[in-house]
Structures are given as structure tokens and as C-alpha cells.
Amino acid sequence: MSKIRIGMIGTGGISQLHGRQLLELEEVEIAALCDTSAANREKFAAKFGLAKVQHFTEYREMLNQAELDAVVICSPHTLHFQQATDVLNNGLHVLIEKPMTCSSEEAEQLIATAEKAGKVMQVSYQRHFQPEFLFIRNAIANGEIGRLTSITASLYQEWKQGTTGLWRQVPELSGGGMLMDSGSHIIDVLLWTTGLTPVEVKPSLHLQGAPVEIDSFTSIRFAEGAVAGLNIVGYAPCWHETYVFCGEDGGIFYDNGNITIRRLGQKPVVPELPKEKTNQDKSFIDAILGRHEVKVPGSFALKVVKFTEMIYQASGYKPY
């Protein structure tokens, strides 16, 4: 079997994880690198022993000149829509880093483009493959804590301090601040693990002196009756991620990877987690090869985009 030839758009930051996971697969080769930064491309190539791959500074040149089967997009957020559109229209599969796009209109157009092209389009929400979140989702679906009544989802991160002077604080490239960036993962968890439908949000946002929003606190009401609090704090001293899922028969508490189940009047239970079987890159390749359906399709990522949009619109915040 010939290998699936991958082109990378963006070779900084998160691309390193994709490079490692892709090259663990015998069915894959990375055939081309595209980045406006030659230093980023060279560092990526050196790290993964890709001395013979083609280098490009402009992604359309890569699409026109390199022989590829699929592309992984790791570029700034507002560039995703046009880049993914061009990738699909060139007859290639695409894996897009979060967020899929920065507006629901673009997301819907991109889904239509992928359907017309008949190509795999997956969005890189890695928590769909991590044991902790698979356990939470399955436990809720199986009714282990009964009907959900409330959820609290919180992320604290030194985001403001770590992104000052970088593209993530340039609205025209980031499409928003912490909520659009790291917060996208937390929204993903909230919607994917619960299956709930948000119908009303009441947010409060603070820029903390930055060009984009940094801190956001949002109360949420779901169509199914549950309520939630979403706290995305980008002006913090460290990373800390917590979730509490309360149901009529108990609660699931997640704290930086540790999970306990609590029931009224009973001792806490630490559950046994499932084994990790795949990741965002392996599942993308397996979907291309027809081994299973797309695990994180555009139709789900659209829900994350719409929810983010709801929060921005309800707060009167225009990210760019």
C-alpha cells in the first residue's frame, strides 16, 4: 500500500504534536511543509528527520506543486476557512486545528464544501480520544449520575502572559481571545460529553488591557433543563482545568486529569478509565482509509463555533 502523503500548513506550536503522531503511523509520510517562517519549517524538518521534504512559504503553491493526499492545518484561526476550502477544492482530505472557523457562516460553507468534494474533514479536538473524557461521556450517556442538572467547566491558564506580542492577540488572525483559543477545548468538552443544547447565555467578558478578550464568565441554560457555568480565565498564574457534572443520582468531578464519582452519603469512587486506543491524527488517517467514520466531523465542530458566537454576540463583543 502506498503511503498517505501529508502536507503541513503551519509548522510551529501544535504542529509538533501532529508531526509526532503522524509519523508513528506506517501508512503516513509527511511530504511537504508550508510556513511563512523558514525557521519554523527548518526546525520541524530537523526534529522529525525530514531532510528531503519540499518547503513552501505560500500554501497555494504547496497545493499546486506537491503531490499530496491530505493536509493538516495548524495556522492562525481566521486563516482556517480559506485554507481548508482550497485544500478540499484541490481534492485533498483535511484535518483542521481548532477552531474549525471563526464564524458559523464559514463553518456551514466549509461543511458543504467537504460534502461536495467527497473528502474527509476532521477537526482536531483531542479530548474526544482521551480516556478521562471518554469515561465522562459514557458515564453520562449510561445514566450513571442520572439526569444532568448542572455543569461547571473552568479553565485557568497564563494565556495573557504567554501570548503577548504573538498572533493569538492579533484579532485579525486569532478571531478572538482566550475563549476562541484554549476555551474552544472546554466548550468542546461541555457539549460533547453532555449532548446538551444551549439555548441561552449570559456572559461577562474582560480584556484585562489586551487587544482581545482574556477572561470570560458565562451562565448557560440548556433546552434539556440543565444549567451551567463556563469560566475561561486567561489571566492566571498556571494551567488548571476542572469540571463538575451534577445529576439527580450523583456527580462526576474532574480536576486536572483526576476523576472521582460522588454520591450522597457515600465515599468517593475513583473509576477505572478506558485505555487510549487512538488520537486525532490516527483517527483522521483511519477515516481516510475507510476503517471508521470521521470521529470529530464538521457538523459537531459547528456546534462549538455557534456556541462561541452566542457568547460573543450576547456580550456585544466583536472579536475582529
Side-chain angles (χ1 to χ4, degrees), residues 19-36:
R20 177 177 64 78
Q21 291 183 163
L22 286 166
L23 292 174
E24 289 173 349
L25 307 173
E26 62 181 15
E27 306 98 328
V28 171
E29 67 172 314
I30 295 178
L33 307 177
C34 177
D35 199 305
T36 55

Side-chain angles (χ1 to χ4, degrees), residues 230-244:
L230 174 67
N231 310 311
I232 306 298
V233 181
Y235 199 8
C238 62
W239 181 292
H240 198 89
E241 185 173 341
T242 64
Y243 304 89
V244 178

Side-chain angles (χ1 to χ4, degrees), residues 56-132:
F56 299 89
T57 57
E58 213 287 319
Y59 79 92
R60 289 187 178 91
E61 291 182 3
M62 181 180 78
L63 297 179
N64 291 333
Q65 297 178 27
E67 294 186 357
L68 302 173
D69 302 297
V71 170
V72 177
I73 295 177
C74 302
S75 58
H77 306 154
T78 60
L79 306 182
H80 291 180
F81 169 68
Q82 191 60 57
Q83 290 174 345
T85 298
D86 291 339
V87 168
L88 291 165
N89 285 336
N90 272 268
L92 306 176
H93 307 287
V94 64
L95 176 64
I96 311 170
E97 256 303 327
K98 58 77 196 162
M100 176 169 67
T101 64
C102 293
S103 76
S104 57
E105 180 181 358
E106 288 182 342
E108 289 166 352
Q109 289 181 29
L110 198 53
I111 291 168
T113 299
E115 290 176 351
K116 183 177 179 181
K119 296 298 176 180
V120 169
M121 181 175 72
Q122 181 165 313
V123 182
S124 189
Y125 283 117
Q126 72 266 25
R127 285 163 170 76
H128 290 234
F129 310 102
Q130 294 175 347
E132 300 90 340

Side-chain angles (χ1 to χ4, degrees), residues 154-164 169 178 182 206-208 210 213-217 231-241 256:
S154 302
L155 174 63
Y156 303 86
Q157 187 182 354
E158 61 274 49
W159 193 90
K160 179 180 186 290
Q161 303 93 312
T163 60
T164 298
Q169 287 197 35
M178 172 79 164
S182 297
H206 200 302
L207 275 65
Q208 300 292 5
E213 120 280 330
I214 301 296
D215 297 336
S216 61
F217 299 85
N231 310 311
I232 306 298
V233 181
Y235 199 8
C238 62
W239 181 292
H240 198 89
E241 185 173 341
N256 277 4

Side-chain angles (χ1 to χ4, degrees), residues 99-105 107-108 111 125 179-180 187 191 198 201 298-314:
M100 176 169 67
T101 64
C102 293
S103 76
S104 57
E105 180 181 358
E108 289 166 352
I111 291 168
Y125 283 117
L179 184 70
M180 182 65 75
I187 293 173
L191 299 181
V201 295
S299 57
F300 173 79
L302 171 62
K303 295 180 181 180
V304 179
V305 174
K306 281 186 173 180
F307 187 70
T308 308
E309 205 170 51
M310 281 177 67
I311 294 174
Y312 281 158
Q313 289 176 354

Side-chain angles (χ1 to χ4, degrees), residues 131-133 239 241-243 253-260 273:
E132 300 90 340
F133 299 104
W239 181 292
E241 185 173 341
T242 64
Y243 304 89
F253 293 74
Y254 172 103
D255 192 332
N256 277 4
N258 299 309
I259 295 178
T260 55
L273 301 181

